[in-house]
Amino acid sequence: MLPEPSTAPPPSTSDEPWLIVCRQALALASALRTLATSQAAEIASACLASATLVDEVARMAEARGKVPFPARWTAAPTPGQLQDFGRLLRDKRAQAGFSRVQLARRAKLSDATVKFIETARHPPSRATLLRLIGVPELGLRWSDTPGACTQPPPSDLEAAGSSPVAAELHRFDSRLSLPMVLESLLVLDELRACQALIEITAYGVRRACCLCGMRSDAWAVDPREAAKLPIRHAAPCAGQLVESLCQRHPVVAELAQTERRNPDSPTAAQLDAGRRAAKVEHFHGCRSSREVAAQLALVAALPATPYRQGVCALWLWALALGPCPLDPTTDVFSERRAQQLADLVPSSSLPARESSRLRGISAAAAWLLSQAAGVPDAPARSPSRPGPDVAHVSP
């Protein structure tokens, strides 16, 4: 005969108040963390710190009160302790050369908060003290803080490091770390910077999204103005989400730039290595080196003629593989000199072979400088007598 399954005994009447306190504390902690996501930095830090304290209440209620009372829940600091800390903070700030506004920005606090601490009008919160300790120029220690915070630093601060932001992240979720968040912001900023491109056409310049393929409805003349044109993205588009996030929170770009200069960041190192490995595309007039090299290979594969020799000589000069075809010198390619060659009209008094070569140089230079110019081709002869110079090179 199988034994009857054991069932957990119902909670005793004396345990019900503890269970009610535990449930209410967990609900309050969850509500505080949700509220923190929509508040300013200082208020959000206070909400997260309070949620941590409520978590300890929930753990105490779950253990039926059989846990030691937290050491940091001691009596509130006295007015004398607040005044001493205010004077200490003011002296430290003066030694660091900070104004109240500068210190507030450095510690991610409001200047009113710094003023109230220095004048002992309000006791600082635990989150505020963590931010002040995290400013290295002040040189504050945990033992310098007033009243209830004269105990050794909390264990979560030691685990997360001396940074107040790292401590806040560690308390929010122990799996989060400050380097992880900063690298994520760097990736977001890089995605924002690379998700759009500028299209240059015969009708003007416009902006396009690389992710959803949509273009801006408006056009511009200057590429720098086109970069500001709005795009009506296809939904859902990650580029639109990233762009909206960075517009609502400009601090993302600021922190990403700081992380980009961090020599210890693996993501920043990978981005830098990728840029170093990428080949920089050079342009000659309005033609890229890749386009010029492709056309040069096509023309060089055709039977040699004076016209094609002039075309090839001009393109070799543009690619820094040969001298200037008209007056061989060591001068590098320049658009000004190429424009002079494009305006060159060969004299009819020149021999036919030399005249054909000069026409090739002029046509090749014009093709480099103008998007509207066709690919250099041999000068057409009589339709009834096509010569060997007639050829068409596909772009």
Side-chain angles (χ1 to χ4, degrees), residues 32-246:
L32 285 171
R33 289 192 172 94
T34 303
L35 182 63
T37 59
S38 59
Q39 301 298 317
E42 183 181 1
I43 299 177
S45 299
C47 290
L48 294 176
S50 300
T52 302
L53 298 179
V54 177
D55 284 337
E56 295 181 359
V57 174
R59 285 195 293 269
M60 183 269 294
E62 186 179 9
R64 309 299 187 267
K66 298 177 181 178
V67 293
F69 202 66
R72 62 175 174 269
W73 290 4
T74 57
T78 64
Q81 291 173 331
L82 293 177
Q83 292 173 2
D84 292 341
F85 182 70
R87 285 192 294 268
L88 175 63
L89 179 60
R90 185 167 57 251
D91 294 341
K92 294 282 189 180
R93 175 175 61 81
Q95 291 177 4
F98 288 154
S99 65
R100 283 178 178 170
V101 176
Q102 291 173 332
L103 176 58
R105 292 178 179 175
R106 190 75 171 83
K108 303 296 189 295
L109 298 170
S110 66
D111 54 336
T113 300
V114 177
K115 177 181 178 181
F116 290 159
I117 296 175
E118 291 185 351
T119 57
R121 290 183 58 181
H122 293 293
S125 66
R126 184 169 179 269
T128 299
L129 292 174
L130 288 173
R131 291 181 181 275
L132 291 174
I133 293 173
V135 179
E137 290 84 356
L138 294 180
L140 287 175
R141 299 184 300 271
W142 190 258
S143 58
D144 297 329
T145 56
C149 298
T150 54
Q151 300 295 329
S155 58
D156 55 357
L157 181 60
E158 293 176 342
S162 59
S163 171
V165 181
E168 294 295 335
L169 291 173
H170 183 77
R171 283 194 298 274
F172 181 76
D173 192 318
S174 60
R175 295 170 297 179
L176 292 177
S177 64
L178 183 58
M180 180 197 307
V181 173
L182 291 178
E183 288 188 53
S184 300
L185 295 179
L186 177 56
V187 172
L188 281 176
D189 186 67
E190 191 69 19
L191 178 60
R192 177 197 60 79
C194 300
Q195 62 96 13
L197 55 84
I198 303 299
E199 285 186 346
I200 302 177
T201 68
Y203 304 99
V205 188
R206 62 180 178 177
R207 188 164 171 252
C209 177
C210 298
L211 300 178
C212 66
M214 299 299 291
R215 270 74 174 169
S216 60
D217 295 333
W219 294 79
V221 178
D222 187 5
R224 289 171 293 185
E225 294 297 325
K228 305 175 184 178
L229 296 176
I231 300 176
R232 188 179 301 174
H233 295 267
C237 177
Q240 181 183 15
L241 299 177
V242 171
E243 189 173 4
S244 175
L245 177 67
C246 294

Side-chain angles (χ1 to χ4, degrees), residues 305-307 346-360 379 381 389:
T305 63
Y307 180 87
S347 173
S348 58
S349 61
L350 294 175
R353 181 180 181 87
E354 185 62 23
S355 177
S356 180
R357 181 175 181 273
L358 291 178
R359 291 183 186 278
R381 299 183 182 180
D389 285 343

Side-chain angles (χ1 to χ4, degrees), residues 171-384:
R171 283 194 298 274
F172 181 76
D173 192 318
S174 60
R175 295 170 297 179
L176 292 177
S177 64
L178 183 58
M180 180 197 307
V181 173
L182 291 178
E183 288 188 53
S184 300
L185 295 179
L186 177 56
V187 172
L188 281 176
D189 186 67
E190 191 69 19
L191 178 60
R192 177 197 60 79
C194 300
Q195 62 96 13
L197 55 84
I198 303 299
E199 285 186 346
I200 302 177
T201 68
Y203 304 99
V205 188
R206 62 180 178 177
R207 188 164 171 252
C209 177
C210 298
L211 300 178
C212 66
M214 299 299 291
R215 270 74 174 169
S216 60
D217 295 333
W219 294 79
V221 178
D222 187 5
R224 289 171 293 185
E225 294 297 325
K228 305 175 184 178
L229 296 176
I231 300 176
R232 188 179 301 174
H233 295 267
C237 177
Q240 181 183 15
L241 299 177
V242 171
E243 189 173 4
S244 175
L245 177 67
C246 294
Q247 288 177 352
R248 287 184 285 111
H249 305 286
V251 70
V252 172
E254 179 184 343
L255 294 176
Q257 290 302 323
T258 303
E259 181 67 10
R260 201 184 302 274
R261 296 189 293 267
N262 182 9
D264 299 327
S265 173
T267 301
Q270 290 180 6
L271 289 174
D272 184 64
R275 290 190 179 92
R276 293 176 182 273
K279 294 181 179 179
V280 179
E281 186 68 74
H282 295 281
F283 279 79
H284 315 280
C286 60
R287 309 291 179 176
S288 66
S289 297
R290 186 178 303 178
E291 188 177 3
V292 175
Q295 293 297 333
L296 176 62
L298 291 175
V299 174
L302 298 174
T305 63
Y307 180 87
R308 294 173 187 149
Q309 290 175 353
V311 171
C312 292
L314 191 284
W315 287 345
L316 287 172
W317 174 52
L319 296 174
L321 298 177
C324 180
L326 191 59
D327 46 352
T329 63
T330 57
D331 295 341
V332 297
F333 174 84
S334 67
E335 293 187 19
R336 178 176 174 274
R337 181 59 177 147
Q339 185 63 55
Q340 294 175 352
L341 297 180
D343 298 336
L344 179 67
V345 178
S347 173
S348 58
S349 61
L350 294 175
R353 181 180 181 87
E354 185 62 23
S355 177
S356 180
R357 181 175 181 273
L358 291 178
R359 291 183 186 278
I361 293 174
S362 179
W367 178 77
L368 287 179
L369 299 176
S370 175
Q371 285 281 2
V375 179
D377 199 354
R381 299 183 182 180
S382 172
S384 59

